Amino acid sequence: MMQRLGLDVTVIDCRWGDGADEAKLAEILKADTKKQIKAVAVVHNETTTGVTSDIPEVRKTMDTIDHPALLLVDGVSSIGALEFKFDDWRVDVAVTGSQKALSIPTGLGLVCASPKALDAMKSAKLKRVYYDFADMLRTNPSGNVPYTPSLPLLYGMRASIKMLKEEGMQNVHARHFRLAEGARKAVEGWGLQTLCKDPRWKSDSLTVIETPAGIDSQKVVDIAYAKYNLSLGIGLDKVKGKVFRIGHLGNMDELMLCSALCGAEMAMIDAGVKIAPGSGVSKAIDYFQKTAKVIPTRESLVQ
Amino acid sequence: MMQRLGLDVTVIDCRWGDGADEAKLAEILKADTKKQIKAVAVVHNETTTGVTSDIPEVRKTMDTIDHPALLLVDGVSSIGALEFKFDDWRVDVAVTGSQKALSIPTGLGLVCASPKALDAMKSAKLKRVYYDFADMLRTNPSGNVPYTPSLPLLYGMRASIKMLKEEGMQNVHARHFRLAEGARKAVEGWGLQTLCKDPRWKSDSLTVIETPAGIDSQKVVDIAYAKYNLSLGIGLDKVKGKVFRIGHLGNMDELMLCSALCGAEMAMIDAGVKIAPGSGVSKAIDYFQKTAKVIPTRESLVQ
Amino acid sequence: MMQRLGLDVTVIDCRWGDGADEAKLAEILKADTKKQIKAVAVVHNETTTGVTSDIPEVRKTMDTIDHPALLLVDGVSSIGALEFKFDDWRVDVAVTGSQKALSIPTGLGLVCASPKALDAMKSAKLKRVYYDFADMLRTNPSGNVPYTPSLPLLYGMRASIKMLKEEGMQNVHARHFRLAEGARKAVEGWGLQTLCKDPRWKSDSLTVIETPAGIDSQKVVDIAYAKYNLSLGIGLDKVKGKVFRIGHLGNMDELMLCSALCGAEMAMIDAGVKIAPGSGVSKAIDYFQKTAKVIPTRESLVQ
Amino acid sequence: MMQRLGLDVTVIDCRWGDGADEAKLAEILKADTKKQIKAVAVVHNETTTGVTSDIPEVRKTMDTIDHPALLLVDGVSSIGALEFKFDDWRVDVAVTGSQKALSIPTGLGLVCASPKALDAMKSAKLKRVYYDFADMLRTNPSGNVPYTPSLPLLYGMRASIKMLKEEGMQNVHARHFRLAEGARKAVEGWGLQTLCKDPRWKSDSLTVIETPAGIDSQKVVDIAYAKYNLSLGIGLDKVKGKVFRIGHLGNMDELMLCSALCGAEMAMIDAGVKIAPGSGVSKAIDYFQKTAKVIPTRESLVQ
């Protein structure tokens, strides 16, 4: 994407299923003795592979070398679901969307910029109109925006943020971990593996599952949709046909995920994966039941 | 209810879990040599016990004896989900509501009356205002109703009926049977029993499950709601504490039901029922997967 | 209605367009030396005629004579729009609906009963099922209701009451008076008259307008609907063909009412009423503009 | 905007309130003997000034000179409200949005490109990512889009287009003309002028009204919003403080517009404009009433 904008970019390639490689980053930053690298761009949670990179560690790597590059983070499938500390981690630009952890329709692109990033904007040379921060900064103080906004989505976002706050962000993160653990137990139950192998990087917002050799994962996704009314994510690019994805972020609970796990089982059996019915979902049920919070009394429910 | 309205009523008592007893009905009708019984009232699908009575057989019983009583049918949890033939079965009054098989909010009470029932109305002596058919009949021809109608529900019903017709009523009935079979397989998997023992009467719109001796079914329902965000039905009246209910009628598919089965498993385990996680839902998954329709090709899905 | 329920009822007839006649009521109550009259039933705001009866005065009449009858009030088109003081006025039963001042769809019938009314219920002999207070009283304490409730309407009512409280009931009443005054100015501008002649009784929730002799008011209503997409109320019963009605209660502001006044003007001209275009709405505009609240500054609007 | 993208642009300046100047365009195109001008960009309906440019005439101008430039048209506030013939007028790129004539929320930007435009794309040098036609063309054939789409808006657009087709595009255009004529009659009634003076260019989707000398139009807009809950458009840029705007496009009828005209009258009086209450809206009422379609009979309305 940045290359298409004519930017000079060094991509740190790594195995699909791994997170951002801090060692390689350190190497590159150290070699940049003239401090010409302007920004380090990281995807916090990679939706294609089910990998959550370690942003604090990336930050620390940059700090240790004392490199002044901006830290740009794609938080599309993380912010609102996983822990994300813009200020503490000294992120410079973070972006997210309305359609993931905020659980509202697609349509809002949300950007947060540090003072340092806004400063950099002043000397930035990329031609831009719609995406220019300056127009936003000029119109926001009077309660306005430069272009016609989508009011329904703004009202929706207000409601969504209210719900997240009522639950408490720590509880939100704990709920996402719990859902992800349930999904991972199911994968174990099936005798399969997630694309992400290193526990440090396993994502809590989605789980990407490898189908066994010889089974086209696309078939699993197609059957789930056509027979069971279930939308699984397909394998993209390098992992096309090799993995399918179960998203579990946003306004979601255990039984919704169980429903998806049941559907995934049925579709896999249809597609020829050798698993026993219930082999995965039973593990999730067991995990969810054993780790559920203390049961509130009926009295506490009727106010 | 009819007694509270001061009506002289003979109730044919039967074991909870059984359907309408045609033999006893025949006996009573035969004894009524003066043909003083004005109506036979039957619940088509009993929501408390998960029993579907055999209306054609009830009709046949009345016909054989040649008894002129009206046939009144409560179709609240059957019409729109189970086969129901008002004309063929020569039902005289049938009632249903908007909140069951029509899948829209509570608020509409729907009544269908035969010419014979409308005739009987003319000599009926029960004091009535709001429920008087005559006001309806007087105002309907001009496209009107006697009282302020709920327009949103009327629009909703139009949409709901359109959806049922698009699916085709035969397919709708088949889908309800299939869901019910899935639920019954799960009950077998748990080693439990439905309250209704006779296959002839097992309901396709809901399944009522007996908890083992010593386990208060209310506890299962409370836990499901409090811990897993799942609304199961409680045991009512005679079967209070002994059964819980899973509804599976209306706009529903396999995975929604799987979700409820998973939740019921977790809540039962919490409540002390000795079942293995996945023991029931795995049977439902197996049944649904094996009996699913032929898989449409991707091409057939993208028009 | 009460007669159809077999109740022995004395109707105090009065000219359509007048409110409840306290003098005649006093006469009847005084004559009832044995205190056999069980209840005085009054419509607070009569939707057919645009008349608001004087409930405090009715109460006072009953008090002066020291008659123990219950005071039953139909507040369907008043409660939530006009001042209504259940406790202060010592009303015994008041009813209203969701579809008027609460501005939500038809479907909820709301009843408020005094301890005295609940006491009377114990000895009441009318056969009843669905409308029995006892079932409500039995189930309410546990946060429940005896029949399947319409949850969407209950959520709607919560939102509606929240909005009324945010505006403040005094402001709500003042707004309804203001809207009604605007409508009445328009009627003056047209050179027409409201059915209600006595200012004491003119309703603030709707205005009922007499069409000139020779003009069928039904025609005005039909044209408004067919040509201008405007629903006016028709003349009912005795005043059929003689009046049309403009409702202005609930979630409504000046410009919405102006819109209806414009449509009424057009439809009246079409129907042959001799009025000049703008003759009525201009008076409403003038009144609304002159009496509008102090203009908030832009700063006060942007928080 | 195009300048900010670093494009070399010649702007044909004209008086605000005038449409695209075909004579000046002809002059420039003729002077371009080497045919280096790549595109002529015109706003079909200018929302700031209430002006509709004459696209067929612009096309004819280009044709007469036989200039090969692309014709790019901004149809944001015209397409779906005013006549627009992409093929007949041989437009090369047209854009519109969801929030104007389609009457759905902001969020969709719709683009239509001619084969010639798609050809030009191949050699275009502007750096682009999100706005690249190529990504669309690559993904559309399989029923897909390159980025996460807003499904609610796509469903909304389907409903909106269905409604437009049911009404018939000719009727839609006629309705917009009729609404605009009503607004223009009101302006005459007020003794004021529209910013657009030439009848050839007066817009049917909005009316831009000049406030008299000495009256800040911003004040009219602020008062309308704060006192009467009415959103008028402010004067932008060169005409700031000099005009206010009334939009009348999309899912709108006569009485909705009357409502806005009443509010504009009140706000103008508040702001010190010397007009009599009703002076404008009465003219609109008169026009709408006299030109309304034949009145359908009641029978034709009840099917």
Side-chain angles (χ1 to χ4, degrees), chain C residues 222 227-229 253 255 259 265-266 269-270 277 282 285 289 292 295 298, chain D residues 222 227-229 253 255 259 265-266 269-270 277 282 285-286 289 292 295 298:
Chain C
D222 286 353
K227 280 184 76 173
Y228 306 114
N229 204 17
D253 67 16
L255 295 191
S259 178
E265 288 197 0
M266 292 193 240
I269 295 170
D270 282 319
S282 62
I285 287 174
Q289 187 272 324
I295 308 166
R298 174 146 286 255
Chain D
D222 287 354
K227 279 184 77 173
Y228 305 114
N229 204 18
D253 66 17
L255 295 191
S259 177
E265 289 197 359
M266 293 193 239
I269 296 171
D270 282 319
S282 61
I285 287 174
D286 190 40
Q289 188 271 324
I295 308 166
R298 172 149 287 255

mmCIF file of all heavy atoms in Angstrom, chain C residues 222 227-229 253 255 259 265-266 269-270 277 282 285 289 292 295 298, chain D residues 222 227-229 253 255 259 265-266 269-270 277 282 285-286 289 292 295 298:
data_model
loop_
_atom_site.group_PDB
_atom_site.id
_atom_site.type_symbol
_atom_site.label_atom_id
_atom_site.label_comp_id
_atom_site.label_asym_id
_atom_site.label_seq_id
_atom_site.Cartn_x
_atom_site.Cartn_y
_atom_site.Cartn_z
ATOM 1 N N ASP C 222 -60.236 13.057 3.273
ATOM 2 C CA ASP C 222 -59.854 12.179 2.154
ATOM 3 C C ASP C 222 -58.830 12.845 1.237
ATOM 4 O O ASP C 222 -57.853 12.224 0.817
ATOM 5 C CB ASP C 222 -61.090 11.801 1.323
ATOM 6 C CG ASP C 222 -61.976 10.784 2.053
ATOM 7 O OD1 ASP C 222 -61.562 10.289 3.117
ATOM 8 O OD2 ASP C 222 -63.084 10.523 1.562
ATOM 9 N N LYS C 227 -53.977 13.474 -1.541
ATOM 10 C CA LYS C 227 -53.165 14.428 -2.308
ATOM 11 C C LYS C 227 -51.927 14.890 -1.568
ATOM 12 O O LYS C 227 -50.918 15.215 -2.186
ATOM 13 C CB LYS C 227 -53.988 15.682 -2.654
ATOM 14 C CG LYS C 227 -54.917 15.515 -3.843
ATOM 15 C CD LYS C 227 -55.634 16.805 -4.186
ATOM 16 C CE LYS C 227 -54.794 17.842 -4.907
ATOM 17 N NZ LYS C 227 -55.622 18.997 -5.347
ATOM 18 N N TYR C 228 -52.023 14.998 -0.239
ATOM 19 C CA TYR C 228 -50.935 15.666 0.476
ATOM 20 C C TYR C 228 -50.257 14.780 1.520
ATOM 21 O O TYR C 228 -49.458 15.256 2.321
ATOM 22 C CB TYR C 228 -51.457 16.961 1.113
ATOM 23 C CG TYR C 228 -52.120 17.866 0.107
ATOM 24 C CD1 TYR C 228 -53.482 18.142 0.165
ATOM 25 C CD2 TYR C 228 -51.370 18.412 -0.951
ATOM 26 C CE1 TYR C 228 -54.086 18.951 -0.782
ATOM 27 C CE2 TYR C 228 -51.973 19.220 -1.909
ATOM 28 C CZ TYR C 228 -53.335 19.480 -1.820
ATOM 29 O OH TYR C 228 -53.926 20.274 -2.766
ATOM 30 N N ASN C 229 -50.635 13.483 1.519
ATOM 31 C CA ASN C 229 -49.941 12.553 2.412
ATOM 32 C C ASN C 229 -50.095 12.953 3.875
ATOM 33 O O ASN C 229 -49.180 12.790 4.681
ATOM 34 C CB ASN C 229 -48.446 12.525 2.018
ATOM 35 C CG ASN C 229 -47.781 11.234 2.445
ATOM 36 O OD1 ASN C 229 -48.450 10.246 2.734
ATOM 37 N ND2 ASN C 229 -46.465 11.253 2.509
ATOM 38 N N ASP C 253 -43.282 19.285 17.407
ATOM 39 C CA ASP C 253 -42.865 20.670 17.574
ATOM 40 C C ASP C 253 -43.658 21.590 16.635
ATOM 41 O O ASP C 253 -44.545 21.148 15.911
ATOM 42 C CB ASP C 253 -41.346 20.821 17.414
ATOM 43 C CG ASP C 253 -40.856 20.539 16.002
ATOM 44 O OD1 ASP C 253 -41.668 20.523 15.058
ATOM 45 O OD2 ASP C 253 -39.640 20.328 15.846
ATOM 46 N N LEU C 255 -42.987 23.251 13.881
ATOM 47 C CA LEU C 255 -42.952 23.106 12.430
ATOM 48 C C LEU C 255 -43.725 21.886 11.952
ATOM 49 O O LEU C 255 -44.276 21.885 10.854
ATOM 50 C CB LEU C 255 -41.513 23.081 11.919
ATOM 51 C CG LEU C 255 -40.734 24.383 12.117
ATOM 52 C CD1 LEU C 255 -39.421 24.332 11.348
ATOM 53 C CD2 LEU C 255 -41.524 25.610 11.725
ATOM 54 N N SER C 259 -46.822 22.192 9.301
ATOM 55 C CA SER C 259 -46.943 21.315 8.159
ATOM 56 C C SER C 259 -48.383 20.809 8.029
ATOM 57 O O SER C 259 -48.986 20.849 6.947
ATOM 58 C CB SER C 259 -45.963 20.166 8.398
ATOM 59 O OG SER C 259 -46.005 19.223 7.402
ATOM 60 N N GLU C 265 -55.107 23.465 5.041
ATOM 61 C CA GLU C 265 -55.519 24.596 4.171
ATOM 62 C C GLU C 265 -55.719 24.132 2.732
ATOM 63 O O GLU C 265 -56.740 24.415 2.098
ATOM 64 C CB GLU C 265 -54.456 25.702 4.182
ATOM 65 C CG GLU C 265 -54.424 26.462 5.486
ATOM 66 C CD GLU C 265 -53.692 27.797 5.370
ATOM 67 O OE1 GLU C 265 -53.193 28.134 4.259
ATOM 68 O OE2 GLU C 265 -53.626 28.509 6.382
ATOM 69 N N MET C 266 -54.732 23.425 2.218
ATOM 70 C CA MET C 266 -54.822 22.969 0.824
ATOM 71 C C MET C 266 -56.033 22.062 0.635
ATOM 72 O O MET C 266 -56.797 22.218 -0.324
ATOM 73 C CB MET C 266 -53.552 22.202 0.450
ATOM 74 C CG MET C 266 -52.312 23.082 0.378
ATOM 75 S SD MET C 266 -50.952 22.156 -0.447
ATOM 76 C CE MET C 266 -49.746 22.172 0.860
ATOM 77 N N ILE C 269 -59.306 24.024 0.720
ATOM 78 C CA ILE C 269 -59.529 24.755 -0.545
ATOM 79 C C ILE C 269 -60.013 23.780 -1.618
ATOM 80 O O ILE C 269 -61.000 24.036 -2.309
ATOM 81 C CB ILE C 269 -58.240 25.486 -0.981
ATOM 82 C CG1 ILE C 269 -57.892 26.571 0.045
ATOM 83 C CG2 ILE C 269 -58.409 26.102 -2.373
ATOM 84 C CD1 ILE C 269 -56.523 27.202 -0.139
ATOM 85 N N ASP C 270 -59.347 22.642 -1.727
ATOM 86 C CA ASP C 270 -59.779 21.610 -2.677
ATOM 87 C C ASP C 270 -61.238 21.215 -2.444
ATOM 88 O O ASP C 270 -61.984 20.967 -3.393
ATOM 89 C CB ASP C 270 -58.913 20.349 -2.531
ATOM 90 C CG ASP C 270 -57.552 20.476 -3.201
ATOM 91 O OD1 ASP C 270 -57.481 21.038 -4.312
ATOM 92 O OD2 ASP C 270 -56.558 20.007 -2.622
ATOM 93 N N PRO C 277 -55.196 30.944 0.739
ATOM 94 C CA PRO C 277 -53.996 30.168 1.081
ATOM 95 C C PRO C 277 -53.145 30.946 2.086
ATOM 96 O O PRO C 277 -52.879 32.131 1.880
ATOM 97 C CB PRO C 277 -53.250 30.043 -0.249
ATOM 98 C CG PRO C 277 -54.246 30.365 -1.309
ATOM 99 C CD PRO C 277 -55.270 31.250 -0.695
ATOM 100 N N SER C 282 -50.419 31.431 8.646
ATOM 101 C CA SER C 282 -49.729 32.698 8.936
ATOM 102 C C SER C 282 -49.988 33.137 10.383
ATOM 103 O O SER C 282 -49.100 33.700 11.022
ATOM 104 C CB SER C 282 -50.179 33.787 7.961
ATOM 105 O OG SER C 282 -51.570 34.025 8.103
ATOM 106 N N ILE C 285 -47.830 30.895 12.568
ATOM 107 C CA ILE C 285 -46.433 31.337 12.446
ATOM 108 C C ILE C 285 -46.204 32.575 13.298
ATOM 109 O O ILE C 285 -45.228 32.678 14.050
ATOM 110 C CB ILE C 285 -46.098 31.638 10.952
ATOM 111 C CG1 ILE C 285 -45.992 30.320 10.171
ATOM 112 C CG2 ILE C 285 -44.828 32.450 10.823
ATOM 113 C CD1 ILE C 285 -45.815 30.512 8.660
ATOM 114 N N GLN C 289 -43.733 32.578 16.442
ATOM 115 C CA GLN C 289 -42.533 33.416 16.374
ATOM 116 C C GLN C 289 -42.503 34.396 17.551
ATOM 117 O O GLN C 289 -41.475 34.593 18.179
ATOM 118 C CB GLN C 289 -42.497 34.158 15.024
ATOM 119 C CG GLN C 289 -41.217 34.926 14.744
ATOM 120 C CD GLN C 289 -41.263 36.338 15.284
ATOM 121 O OE1 GLN C 289 -42.308 36.988 15.262
ATOM 122 N NE2 GLN C 289 -40.135 36.811 15.779
ATOM 123 N N ALA C 292 -41.851 32.509 21.039
ATOM 124 C CA ALA C 292 -40.756 31.536 21.165
ATOM 125 C C ALA C 292 -39.824 31.940 22.296
ATOM 126 O O ALA C 292 -39.677 33.114 22.627
ATOM 127 C CB ALA C 292 -39.987 31.427 19.857
ATOM 128 N N ILE C 295 -33.602 33.049 22.360
ATOM 129 C CA ILE C 295 -32.727 32.302 21.469
ATOM 130 C C ILE C 295 -31.435 31.913 22.171
ATOM 131 O O ILE C 295 -30.698 32.782 22.622
ATOM 132 C CB ILE C 295 -32.387 33.148 20.231
ATOM 133 C CG1 ILE C 295 -33.669 33.668 19.604
ATOM 134 C CG2 ILE C 295 -31.541 32.360 19.244
ATOM 135 C CD1 ILE C 295 -33.462 34.774 18.594
ATOM 136 N N ARG C 298 -25.151 30.242 19.968
ATOM 137 C CA ARG C 298 -24.485 29.109 19.335
ATOM 138 C C ARG C 298 -23.545 28.420 20.338
ATOM 139 O O ARG C 298 -23.451 27.211 20.395
ATOM 140 C CB ARG C 298 -23.688 29.614 18.125
ATOM 141 C CG ARG C 298 -22.809 28.570 17.437
ATOM 142 C CD ARG C 298 -22.739 28.804 15.965
ATOM 143 N NE ARG C 298 -23.987 28.407 15.356
ATOM 144 C CZ ARG C 298 -24.138 27.277 14.642
ATOM 145 N NH1 ARG C 298 -23.131 26.476 14.431
ATOM 146 N NH2 ARG C 298 -25.297 26.962 14.125
ATOM 147 N N ASP D 222 -28.820 30.151 12.377
ATOM 148 C CA ASP D 222 -28.641 29.834 13.808
ATOM 149 C C ASP D 222 -29.979 29.839 14.544
ATOM 150 O O ASP D 222 -30.254 28.961 15.374
ATOM 151 C CB ASP D 222 -27.700 30.860 14.468
ATOM 152 C CG ASP D 222 -26.257 30.655 14.057
ATOM 153 O OD1 ASP D 222 -25.967 29.656 13.366
ATOM 154 O OD2 ASP D 222 -25.419 31.506 14.410
ATOM 155 N N LYS D 227 -34.159 27.777 17.720
ATOM 156 C CA LYS D 227 -35.538 28.033 18.162
ATOM 157 C C LYS D 227 -36.545 27.085 17.544
ATOM 158 O O LYS D 227 -37.564 26.776 18.150
ATOM 159 C CB LYS D 227 -35.958 29.466 17.795
ATOM 160 C CG LYS D 227 -35.468 30.522 18.758
ATOM 161 C CD LYS D 227 -35.987 31.900 18.397
ATOM 162 C CE LYS D 227 -37.435 32.154 18.786
ATOM 163 N NZ LYS D 227 -37.816 33.572 18.564
ATOM 164 N N TYR D 228 -36.304 26.677 16.293
ATOM 165 C CA TYR D 228 -37.369 25.972 15.576
ATOM 166 C C TYR D 228 -36.970 24.566 15.127
ATOM 167 O O TYR D 228 -37.693 23.933 14.373
ATOM 168 C CB TYR D 228 -37.828 26.815 14.381
ATOM 169 C CG TYR D 228 -38.251 28.204 14.791
ATOM 170 C CD1 TYR D 228 -37.546 29.332 14.383
ATOM 171 C CD2 TYR D 228 -39.349 28.372 15.646
ATOM 172 C CE1 TYR D 228 -37.921 30.603 14.792
ATOM 173 C CE2 TYR D 228 -39.733 29.646 16.062
ATOM 174 C CZ TYR D 228 -39.011 30.756 15.631
ATOM 175 O OH TYR D 228 -39.391 31.999 16.042
ATOM 176 N N ASN D 229 -35.809 24.107 15.582
ATOM 177 C CA ASN D 229 -35.411 22.722 15.307
ATOM 178 C C ASN D 229 -35.309 22.451 13.799
ATOM 179 O O ASN D 229 -35.617 21.375 13.322
ATOM 180 C CB ASN D 229 -36.450 21.779 15.949
ATOM 181 C CG ASN D 229 -35.878 20.403 16.232
ATOM 182 O OD1 ASN D 229 -34.661 20.226 16.268
ATOM 183 N ND2 ASN D 229 -36.746 19.431 16.409
ATOM 184 N N ASP D 253 -41.834 15.514 0.441
ATOM 185 C CA ASP D 253 -43.084 15.916 -0.196
ATOM 186 C C ASP D 253 -43.402 17.379 0.116
ATOM 187 O O ASP D 253 -42.637 18.068 0.786
ATOM 188 C CB ASP D 253 -44.231 14.967 0.175
ATOM 189 C CG ASP D 253 -44.597 15.027 1.647
ATOM 190 O OD1 ASP D 253 -44.226 15.995 2.335
ATOM 191 O OD2 ASP D 253 -45.279 14.090 2.113
ATOM 192 N N LEU D 255 -45.594 18.939 2.034
ATOM 193 C CA LEU D 255 -45.784 19.416 3.409
ATOM 194 C C LEU D 255 -44.479 19.494 4.179
ATOM 195 O O LEU D 255 -44.317 20.343 5.049
ATOM 196 C CB LEU D 255 -46.813 18.556 4.144
ATOM 197 C CG LEU D 255 -48.232 18.619 3.577
ATOM 198 C CD1 LEU D 255 -49.214 17.944 4.526
ATOM 199 C CD2 LEU D 255 -48.676 20.045 3.301
ATOM 200 N N SER D 259 -43.162 22.982 5.845
ATOM 201 C CA SER D 259 -42.657 23.053 7.200
ATOM 202 C C SER D 259 -41.357 23.872 7.245
ATOM 203 O O SER D 259 -41.190 24.761 8.090
ATOM 204 C CB SER D 259 -42.440 21.609 7.637
ATOM 205 O OG SER D 259 -41.903 21.526 8.891
ATOM 206 N N GLU D 265 -39.429 31.471 7.560
ATOM 207 C CA GLU D 265 -40.135 32.740 7.800
ATOM 208 C C GLU D 265 -39.945 33.221 9.234
ATOM 209 O O GLU D 265 -39.596 34.381 9.486
ATOM 210 C CB GLU D 265 -41.643 32.581 7.537
ATOM 211 C CG GLU D 265 -41.985 32.426 6.072
ATOM 212 C CD GLU D 265 -43.465 32.691 5.770
ATOM 213 O OE1 GLU D 265 -44.241 32.980 6.704
ATOM 214 O OE2 GLU D 265 -43.828 32.615 4.573
ATOM 215 N N MET D 266 -40.188 32.308 10.160
ATOM 216 C CA MET D 266 -40.055 32.681 11.578
ATOM 217 C C MET D 266 -38.640 33.142 11.883
ATOM 218 O O MET D 266 -38.433 34.157 12.547
ATOM 219 C CB MET D 266 -40.420 31.498 12.464
ATOM 220 C CG MET D 266 -41.875 31.104 12.398
ATOM 221 S SD MET D 266 -42.272 29.946 13.753
ATOM 222 C CE MET D 266 -42.829 28.549 12.796
ATOM 223 N N ILE D 269 -37.882 36.579 10.397
ATOM 224 C CA ILE D 269 -38.507 37.653 11.180
ATOM 225 C C ILE D 269 -37.686 37.911 12.450
ATOM 226 O O ILE D 269 -37.355 39.053 12.772
ATOM 227 C CB ILE D 269 -39.973 37.302 11.509
ATOM 228 C CG1 ILE D 269 -40.791 37.207 10.219
ATOM 229 C CG2 ILE D 269 -40.573 38.345 12.460
ATOM 230 C CD1 ILE D 269 -42.202 36.655 10.390
ATOM 231 N N ASP D 270 -37.313 36.831 13.122
ATOM 232 C CA ASP D 270 -36.466 36.960 14.314
ATOM 233 C C ASP D 270 -35.170 37.705 13.996
ATOM 234 O O ASP D 270 -34.677 38.478 14.811
ATOM 235 C CB ASP D 270 -36.095 35.573 14.868
ATOM 236 C CG ASP D 270 -37.221 34.928 15.667
ATOM 237 O OD1 ASP D 270 -37.898 35.623 16.437
ATOM 238 O OD2 ASP D 270 -37.423 33.711 15.514
ATOM 239 N N PRO D 277 -45.620 37.428 8.322
ATOM 240 C CA PRO D 277 -45.780 35.984 8.553
ATOM 241 C C PRO D 277 -46.720 35.385 7.509
ATOM 242 O O PRO D 277 -47.795 35.945 7.262
ATOM 243 C CB PRO D 277 -46.433 35.903 9.945
ATOM 244 C CG PRO D 277 -46.246 37.232 10.578
ATOM 245 C CD PRO D 277 -46.091 38.221 9.475
ATOM 246 N N SER D 282 -47.630 31.015 1.987
ATOM 247 C CA SER D 282 -48.958 31.087 1.344
ATOM 248 C C SER D 282 -48.833 30.923 -0.168
ATOM 249 O O SER D 282 -49.704 30.326 -0.807
ATOM 250 C CB SER D 282 -49.647 32.406 1.686
ATOM 251 O OG SER D 282 -48.871 33.491 1.209
ATOM 252 N N ILE D 285 -48.209 27.226 -0.818
ATOM 253 C CA ILE D 285 -49.474 26.505 -0.628
ATOM 254 C C ILE D 285 -50.362 26.683 -1.853
ATOM 255 O O ILE D 285 -50.938 25.721 -2.380
ATOM 256 C CB ILE D 285 -50.193 27.032 0.649
ATOM 257 C CG1 ILE D 285 -49.462 26.545 1.899
ATOM 258 C CG2 ILE D 285 -51.656 26.602 0.675
ATOM 259 C CD1 ILE D 285 -50.005 27.131 3.200
ATOM 260 N N ASP D 286 -50.480 27.905 -2.281
ATOM 261 C CA ASP D 286 -51.323 28.210 -3.440
ATOM 262 C C ASP D 286 -50.843 27.430 -4.669
ATOM 263 O O ASP D 286 -51.636 26.805 -5.378
ATOM 264 C CB ASP D 286 -51.266 29.727 -3.706
ATOM 265 C CG ASP D 286 -52.306 30.146 -4.725
ATOM 266 O OD1 ASP D 286 -53.439 29.618 -4.666
ATOM 267 O OD2 ASP D 286 -51.987 30.994 -5.579
ATOM 268 N N GLN D 289 -51.396 23.601 -4.187
ATOM 269 C CA GLN D 289 -52.812 23.224 -4.239
ATOM 270 C C GLN D 289 -53.313 23.264 -5.678
ATOM 271 O O GLN D 289 -54.031 22.380 -6.126
ATOM 272 C CB GLN D 289 -53.625 24.164 -3.323
ATOM 273 C CG GLN D 289 -55.082 23.755 -3.150
ATOM 274 C CD GLN D 289 -55.979 24.364 -4.203
ATOM 275 O OE1 GLN D 289 -55.777 25.498 -4.631
ATOM 276 N NE2 GLN D 289 -56.977 23.593 -4.642
ATOM 277 N N ALA D 292 -51.701 20.340 -7.896
ATOM 278 C CA ALA D 292 -51.685 18.951 -7.406
ATOM 279 C C ALA D 292 -52.359 18.031 -8.407
ATOM 280 O O ALA D 292 -53.239 18.436 -9.152
ATOM 281 C CB ALA D 292 -52.369 18.855 -6.050
ATOM 282 N N ILE D 295 -57.253 14.065 -7.722
ATOM 283 C CA ILE D 295 -57.458 13.388 -6.450
ATOM 284 C C ILE D 295 -57.916 11.956 -6.674
ATOM 285 O O ILE D 295 -58.951 11.735 -7.301
ATOM 286 C CB ILE D 295 -58.537 14.120 -5.629
ATOM 287 C CG1 ILE D 295 -58.175 15.610 -5.536
ATOM 288 C CG2 ILE D 295 -58.709 13.494 -4.265
ATOM 289 C CD1 ILE D 295 -59.305 16.470 -5.065
ATOM 290 N N ARG D 298 -61.301 7.365 -2.817
ATOM 291 C CA ARG D 298 -61.040 6.502 -1.673
ATOM 292 C C ARG D 298 -60.957 5.037 -2.122
ATOM 293 O O ARG D 298 -60.129 4.278 -1.656
ATOM 294 C CB ARG D 298 -62.150 6.699 -0.639
ATOM 295 C CG ARG D 298 -62.122 5.742 0.537
ATOM 296 C CD ARG D 298 -62.654 6.397 1.767
ATOM 297 N NE ARG D 298 -61.663 7.355 2.232
ATOM 298 C CZ ARG D 298 -60.883 7.137 3.304
ATOM 299 N NH1 ARG D 298 -61.002 6.024 3.990
ATOM 300 N NH2 ARG D 298 -60.004 8.015 3.688
#
